[in-house]
């Protein structure tokens, strides 16, 4: 399995199950009071293409809820959440947010 395939696999697993990662929500998204719909849209997102996924890692998506354009994305930190992960393909040293 290539490095890109491994990152994509880990991202897809985290996104579709909302486990194995940490989530953050902006106050604006929380104010929509539609978290069930937002989280379902993130879990079910599958519209990856060259425009929103140029590295084929499934680390970004965008959708509309109630007329609001929302985005989700993964950032990769070390386990202490102090700096960027040295290798997002290695889930033993990476915290996905």
């Amino acid at each position: 399995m290539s490095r890109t395939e491994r990152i994509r696999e880990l991202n897809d697993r985290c996104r579709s199950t909302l486990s194995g990662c940490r989530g953050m929500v902006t106050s604006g998204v929380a104010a929509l009071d539609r978290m069930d719909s937002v989280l379902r849209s993130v879990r079910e997102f599958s519209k990856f293409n060259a425009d929103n996924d140029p590295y084929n890692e499934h680390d970004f998506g965008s959708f509309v809820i109630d007329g609001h354009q929302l985005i989700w994305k993964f950032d990769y930190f070390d386990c202490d959440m102090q700096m960027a992960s040295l290798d997002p393909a290695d889930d033993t040293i990476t915290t996905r947010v």
Side-chain angles (χ1 to χ4, degrees), residues 83-95:
M83 58 190 219
S85 173
L86 295 175
D87 184 5
D90 184 347
D91 63 340
T92 66
I93 63 168
T94 302
T95 299

Side-chain angles (χ1 to χ4, degrees), residues 33-87:
D33 199 27
R34 296 292 309 273
M35 285 309 299
D36 287 344
S37 296
V38 169
L39 294 176
R40 183 174 40 259
S41 294
V42 170
R43 283 192 314 268
E44 296 174 355
F45 188 85
S46 64
K47 297 178 183 174
F48 298 103
N49 59 56
D51 290 332
N52 68 16
D53 192 28
Y55 301 107
N56 203 24
E57 294 178 346
H58 293 188
D59 59 355
F60 173 89
S62 177
F63 53 89
V64 176
I65 291 187
D66 292 341
H68 299 280
Q69 184 79 36
L70 305 179
I71 65 166
W72 62 267
K73 67 182 287 294
F74 281 113
D75 289 313
Y76 311 108
F77 294 94
D78 66 1
C79 292
D80 295 327
M81 301 276 297
Q82 298 299 308
M83 58 190 219
S85 173
L86 295 175
D87 184 5

Side-chain angles (χ1 to χ4, degrees), residues 4-23:
T4 297
E5 290 170 330
R6 179 66 178 152
I7 292 171
R8 183 174 56 243
E9 174 186 71
L10 292 167
N11 287 346
D12 283 345
R13 184 180 314 144
C14 289
R15 178 187 44 76
S16 65
T17 65
L18 300 179
S19 63
C21 57
R22 294 186 183 193

